[in-house]
Amino acid sequence: MSTDPIWEDTTTGADVPLTEDIAPGTANDPPAGSTEAATLTVDGQTVEASVGSTLLDACEAVETDGDVLALCSYDDEEQIGPRSECRTCMVETEEHGVVPSCSFPVEDDMTVSTDTESASEARDVNLDLILSNHNLLCTTCGANGRCDLQDVAIENDVEEPRYGVLHDRSQLEPIDDSSPFIQIDRNKCILCNRCVEACNDVQVEGVLRMEESGGETRIGFQNDADTMMDSTCVSCGHCATVCPTGALVEQGLVDATTLPVPGFTHKNSAEGIVGEDYERQRTQMTPMKREGDTRNEPRVSRPEPAATAEDDWL
């Protein structure tokens, strides 16, 4: 019989009921946005917050002592986020302890600190966790110089992530180069969900999704396609514009900001490439999308041409 305290007194029931609703990615965070205006203090500065504000909104209204990174957050007007996925926006409050600022609603008289040891350590640990699962070959990446993750790593003087980096080629996923418009490199993805929400909630195309779970979580397609060209993508490009890294890059920008090294490019830096056998097509719809759009349309009946005098001689 184990002496570990976790196994003791298991017959009295858990404190947390099994029926508690826990949404993936958001855990037990309260609903984003406050229901009324509030006056709070951020790093000793008074902030007037409007209805619907989050702690991140309040932090962005003043010059904070600590850098609140908020990698997975995006402009609310774009209907993307907050998701509380990356947890690089942690701040400490007197009322609730350390919380994710991007999703936590403001409350009247709340006191927020961004530079406490607990908050800073939480942000640093979560940033290192993201970097440990990220291919850091930045100089050959299509987002080199315009990558949010690269920016915050530089701003926070990250020289060596405590959990290592993803550099074993055998662990890298092949690059999806099937689409003539968007390249997918899942080795650069930080699972922020921005692309999924842009595709589903803003463009209402319903092409992308997050699939699998745990360490196997990855960008996938709603129709279970293996590549972008097998999906129902219309190549609107919105997913690429909101991606904070080089996971989704417009094909025309793949090599725009890379620093070429002889014999070493972004494509051969990964384990392989899928979709190279697709022929480049002018249309922005994938074959799957075109088929779906025309499958149930009625056939157009063409009228028979009128008989002419010339036909009488035939």
Side-chain angles (χ1 to χ4, degrees), residues 235-257:
S235 303
C236 70
H238 201 159
C239 57
T241 63
V242 302
C243 179
T245 67
L248 293 152
V249 178
E250 299 92 334
Q251 289 284 8
L253 298 177
V254 165
D255 298 320
T257 56

PDB file of all heavy atoms in Angstrom, residues 235-257:
ATOM      1  N   SER A 235      -8.137  30.052 -49.214  1.00  0.00           N
ATOM      2  CA  SER A 235      -6.917  30.855 -49.301  1.00  0.00           C
ATOM      3  C   SER A 235      -7.172  32.343 -49.092  1.00  0.00           C
ATOM      4  O   SER A 235      -6.598  33.185 -49.780  1.00  0.00           O
ATOM      5  CB  SER A 235      -6.219  30.629 -50.652  1.00  0.00           C
ATOM      6  OG  SER A 235      -5.938  29.265 -50.840  1.00  0.00           O
ATOM      7  N   CYS A 236      -8.021  32.668 -48.132  1.00  0.00           N
ATOM      8  CA  CYS A 236      -8.261  34.081 -47.825  1.00  0.00           C
ATOM      9  C   CYS A 236      -7.052  34.703 -47.135  1.00  0.00           C
ATOM     10  O   CYS A 236      -6.862  35.912 -47.164  1.00  0.00           O
ATOM     11  CB  CYS A 236      -9.504  34.243 -46.955  1.00  0.00           C
ATOM     12  SG  CYS A 236      -9.324  33.648 -45.247  1.00  0.00           S
ATOM     13  N   GLY A 237      -6.265  33.870 -46.456  1.00  0.00           N
ATOM     14  CA  GLY A 237      -5.033  34.357 -45.841  1.00  0.00           C
ATOM     15  C   GLY A 237      -5.182  34.945 -44.467  1.00  0.00           C
ATOM     16  O   GLY A 237      -4.199  35.391 -43.861  1.00  0.00           O
ATOM     17  N   HIS A 238      -6.408  34.990 -43.925  1.00  0.00           N
ATOM     18  CA  HIS A 238      -6.600  35.605 -42.604  1.00  0.00           C
ATOM     19  C   HIS A 238      -5.820  34.863 -41.521  1.00  0.00           C
ATOM     20  O   HIS A 238      -5.281  35.461 -40.611  1.00  0.00           O
ATOM     21  CB  HIS A 238      -8.085  35.642 -42.258  1.00  0.00           C
ATOM     22  CG  HIS A 238      -8.417  36.666 -41.224  1.00  0.00           C
ATOM     23  ND1 HIS A 238      -9.672  37.182 -41.040  1.00  0.00           N
ATOM     24  CD2 HIS A 238      -7.646  37.280 -40.294  1.00  0.00           C
ATOM     25  CE1 HIS A 238      -9.656  38.071 -40.067  1.00  0.00           C
ATOM     26  NE2 HIS A 238      -8.438  38.141 -39.588  1.00  0.00           N
ATOM     27  N   CYS A 239      -5.755  33.543 -41.620  1.00  0.00           N
ATOM     28  CA  CYS A 239      -5.024  32.759 -40.623  1.00  0.00           C
ATOM     29  C   CYS A 239      -3.561  33.172 -40.572  1.00  0.00           C
ATOM     30  O   CYS A 239      -2.962  33.279 -39.497  1.00  0.00           O
ATOM     31  CB  CYS A 239      -5.143  31.269 -40.925  1.00  0.00           C
ATOM     32  SG  CYS A 239      -4.574  30.793 -42.580  1.00  0.00           S
ATOM     33  N   ALA A 240      -2.978  33.439 -41.736  1.00  0.00           N
ATOM     34  CA  ALA A 240      -1.568  33.815 -41.785  1.00  0.00           C
ATOM     35  C   ALA A 240      -1.335  35.210 -41.218  1.00  0.00           C
ATOM     36  O   ALA A 240      -0.305  35.469 -40.592  1.00  0.00           O
ATOM     37  CB  ALA A 240      -1.049  33.741 -43.213  1.00  0.00           C
ATOM     38  N   THR A 241      -2.298  36.102 -41.403  1.00  0.00           N
ATOM     39  CA  THR A 241      -2.104  37.474 -40.918  1.00  0.00           C
ATOM     40  C   THR A 241      -2.171  37.564 -39.399  1.00  0.00           C
ATOM     41  O   THR A 241      -1.585  38.466 -38.811  1.00  0.00           O
ATOM     42  CB  THR A 241      -3.157  38.424 -41.510  1.00  0.00           C
ATOM     43  OG1 THR A 241      -4.467  38.021 -41.081  1.00  0.00           O
ATOM     44  CG2 THR A 241      -3.100  38.430 -43.024  1.00  0.00           C
ATOM     45  N   VAL A 242      -2.881  36.654 -38.741  1.00  0.00           N
ATOM     46  CA  VAL A 242      -2.987  36.713 -37.278  1.00  0.00           C
ATOM     47  C   VAL A 242      -1.992  35.792 -36.579  1.00  0.00           C
ATOM     48  O   VAL A 242      -1.870  35.839 -35.350  1.00  0.00           O
ATOM     49  CB  VAL A 242      -4.417  36.366 -36.806  1.00  0.00           C
ATOM     50  CG1 VAL A 242      -5.427  37.315 -37.421  1.00  0.00           C
ATOM     51  CG2 VAL A 242      -4.767  34.921 -37.133  1.00  0.00           C
ATOM     52  N   CYS A 243      -1.277  34.956 -37.328  1.00  0.00           N
ATOM     53  CA  CYS A 243      -0.317  34.030 -36.719  1.00  0.00           C
ATOM     54  C   CYS A 243       0.838  34.817 -36.098  1.00  0.00           C
ATOM     55  O   CYS A 243       1.459  35.643 -36.776  1.00  0.00           O
ATOM     56  CB  CYS A 243       0.214  33.059 -37.773  1.00  0.00           C
ATOM     57  SG  CYS A 243       1.442  31.891 -37.129  1.00  0.00           S
ATOM     58  N   PRO A 244       1.158  34.588 -34.822  1.00  0.00           N
ATOM     59  CA  PRO A 244       2.228  35.362 -34.173  1.00  0.00           C
ATOM     60  C   PRO A 244       3.624  34.838 -34.482  1.00  0.00           C
ATOM     61  O   PRO A 244       4.609  35.434 -34.037  1.00  0.00           O
ATOM     62  CB  PRO A 244       1.896  35.190 -32.686  1.00  0.00           C
ATOM     63  CG  PRO A 244       1.268  33.840 -32.598  1.00  0.00           C
ATOM     64  CD  PRO A 244       0.489  33.669 -33.883  1.00  0.00           C
ATOM     65  N   THR A 245       3.728  33.734 -35.196  1.00  0.00           N
ATOM     66  CA  THR A 245       5.039  33.143 -35.510  1.00  0.00           C
ATOM     67  C   THR A 245       5.098  32.804 -37.005  1.00  0.00           C
ATOM     68  O   THR A 245       4.310  33.316 -37.792  1.00  0.00           O
ATOM     69  CB  THR A 245       5.265  31.861 -34.684  1.00  0.00           C
ATOM     70  OG1 THR A 245       4.345  30.858 -35.115  1.00  0.00           O
ATOM     71  CG2 THR A 245       5.078  32.119 -33.199  1.00  0.00           C
ATOM     72  N   GLY A 246       5.975  31.904 -37.372  1.00  0.00           N
ATOM     73  CA  GLY A 246       6.084  31.496 -38.762  1.00  0.00           C
ATOM     74  C   GLY A 246       5.357  30.205 -39.059  1.00  0.00           C
ATOM     75  O   GLY A 246       5.687  29.520 -40.025  1.00  0.00           O
ATOM     76  N   ALA A 247       4.358  29.864 -38.249  1.00  0.00           N
ATOM     77  CA  ALA A 247       3.622  28.618 -38.474  1.00  0.00           C
ATOM     78  C   ALA A 247       2.772  28.690 -39.737  1.00  0.00           C
ATOM     79  O   ALA A 247       2.620  27.709 -40.451  1.00  0.00           O
ATOM     80  CB  ALA A 247       2.746  28.299 -37.264  1.00  0.00           C
ATOM     81  N   LEU A 248       2.175  29.842 -40.002  1.00  0.00           N
ATOM     82  CA  LEU A 248       1.374  30.047 -41.202  1.00  0.00           C
ATOM     83  C   LEU A 248       1.919  31.279 -41.912  1.00  0.00           C
ATOM     84  O   LEU A 248       1.851  32.388 -41.379  1.00  0.00           O
ATOM     85  CB  LEU A 248      -0.103  30.253 -40.837  1.00  0.00           C
ATOM     86  CG  LEU A 248      -0.802  29.021 -40.250  1.00  0.00           C
ATOM     87  CD1 LEU A 248      -1.927  29.425 -39.328  1.00  0.00           C
ATOM     88  CD2 LEU A 248      -1.333  28.141 -41.371  1.00  0.00           C
ATOM     89  N   VAL A 249       2.463  31.076 -43.089  1.00  0.00           N
ATOM     90  CA  VAL A 249       3.113  32.175 -43.814  1.00  0.00           C
ATOM     91  C   VAL A 249       2.608  32.184 -45.251  1.00  0.00           C
ATOM     92  O   VAL A 249       2.489  31.129 -45.888  1.00  0.00           O
ATOM     93  CB  VAL A 249       4.644  32.011 -43.792  1.00  0.00           C
ATOM     94  CG1 VAL A 249       5.307  33.125 -44.599  1.00  0.00           C
ATOM     95  CG2 VAL A 249       5.168  32.011 -42.360  1.00  0.00           C
ATOM     96  N   GLU A 250       2.338  33.393 -45.763  1.00  0.00           N
ATOM     97  CA  GLU A 250       1.965  33.503 -47.169  1.00  0.00           C
ATOM     98  C   GLU A 250       3.149  33.042 -48.028  1.00  0.00           C
ATOM     99  O   GLU A 250       4.288  33.406 -47.766  1.00  0.00           O
ATOM    100  CB  GLU A 250       1.608  34.954 -47.515  1.00  0.00           C
ATOM    101  CG  GLU A 250       0.421  35.509 -46.734  1.00  0.00           C
ATOM    102  CD  GLU A 250       0.854  36.217 -45.448  1.00  0.00           C
ATOM    103  OE1 GLU A 250       1.938  35.867 -44.935  1.00  0.00           O
ATOM    104  OE2 GLU A 250       0.130  37.096 -44.981  1.00  0.00           O
ATOM    105  N   GLN A 251       2.862  32.265 -49.065  1.00  0.00           N
ATOM    106  CA  GLN A 251       3.939  31.711 -49.893  1.00  0.00           C
ATOM    107  C   GLN A 251       4.850  32.805 -50.444  1.00  0.00           C
ATOM    108  O   GLN A 251       6.063  32.630 -50.558  1.00  0.00           O
ATOM    109  CB  GLN A 251       3.344  30.894 -51.047  1.00  0.00           C
ATOM    110  CG  GLN A 251       2.718  29.576 -50.620  1.00  0.00           C
ATOM    111  CD  GLN A 251       3.757  28.492 -50.314  1.00  0.00           C
ATOM    112  OE1 GLN A 251       4.953  28.746 -50.281  1.00  0.00           O
ATOM    113  NE2 GLN A 251       3.292  27.279 -50.064  1.00  0.00           N
ATOM    114  N   GLY A 252       4.260  33.964 -50.754  1.00  0.00           N
ATOM    115  CA  GLY A 252       5.073  35.031 -51.320  1.00  0.00           C
ATOM    116  C   GLY A 252       6.048  35.642 -50.336  1.00  0.00           C
ATOM    117  O   GLY A 252       6.956  36.388 -50.724  1.00  0.00           O
ATOM    118  N   LEU A 253       5.862  35.341 -49.034  1.00  0.00           N
ATOM    119  CA  LEU A 253       6.722  35.910 -48.006  1.00  0.00           C
ATOM    120  C   LEU A 253       7.637  34.871 -47.361  1.00  0.00           C
ATOM    121  O   LEU A 253       8.374  35.196 -46.437  1.00  0.00           O
ATOM    122  CB  LEU A 253       5.875  36.568 -46.910  1.00  0.00           C
ATOM    123  CG  LEU A 253       4.988  37.742 -47.346  1.00  0.00           C
ATOM    124  CD1 LEU A 253       4.139  38.245 -46.171  1.00  0.00           C
ATOM    125  CD2 LEU A 253       5.846  38.882 -47.879  1.00  0.00           C
ATOM    126  N   VAL A 254       7.570  33.635 -47.844  1.00  0.00           N
ATOM    127  CA  VAL A 254       8.329  32.559 -47.195  1.00  0.00           C
ATOM    128  C   VAL A 254       9.821  32.874 -47.139  1.00  0.00           C
ATOM    129  O   VAL A 254      10.491  32.633 -46.135  1.00  0.00           O
ATOM    130  CB  VAL A 254       8.087  31.224 -47.940  1.00  0.00           C
ATOM    131  CG1 VAL A 254       9.120  30.185 -47.529  1.00  0.00           C
ATOM    132  CG2 VAL A 254       6.687  30.711 -47.652  1.00  0.00           C
ATOM    133  N   ASP A 255      10.354  33.433 -48.213  1.00  0.00           N
ATOM    134  CA  ASP A 255      11.789  33.716 -48.245  1.00  0.00           C
ATOM    135  C   ASP A 255      12.095  35.211 -48.180  1.00  0.00           C
ATOM    136  O   ASP A 255      13.232  35.626 -48.411  1.00  0.00           O
ATOM    137  CB  ASP A 255      12.402  33.136 -49.531  1.00  0.00           C
ATOM    138  CG  ASP A 255      12.261  31.619 -49.588  1.00  0.00           C
ATOM    139  OD1 ASP A 255      12.439  30.972 -48.544  1.00  0.00           O
ATOM    140  OD2 ASP A 255      11.965  31.087 -50.676  1.00  0.00           O
ATOM    141  N   ALA A 256      11.072  36.009 -47.856  1.00  0.00           N
ATOM    142  CA  ALA A 256      11.234  37.463 -47.934  1.00  0.00           C
ATOM    143  C   ALA A 256      12.221  38.007 -46.909  1.00  0.00           C
ATOM    144  O   ALA A 256      12.946  38.967 -47.191  1.00  0.00           O
ATOM    145  CB  ALA A 256       9.871  38.138 -47.769  1.00  0.00           C
ATOM    146  N   THR A 257      12.255  37.425 -45.706  1.00  0.00           N
ATOM    147  CA  THR A 257      13.094  38.008 -44.653  1.00  0.00           C
ATOM    148  C   THR A 257      14.110  37.011 -44.110  1.00  0.00           C
ATOM    149  O   THR A 257      14.663  37.214 -43.033  1.00  0.00           O
ATOM    150  CB  THR A 257      12.219  38.505 -43.491  1.00  0.00           C
ATOM    151  OG1 THR A 257      11.412  37.426 -43.003  1.00  0.00           O
ATOM    152  CG2 THR A 257      11.331  39.640 -43.932  1.00  0.00           C
TER     153      THR A 257
END
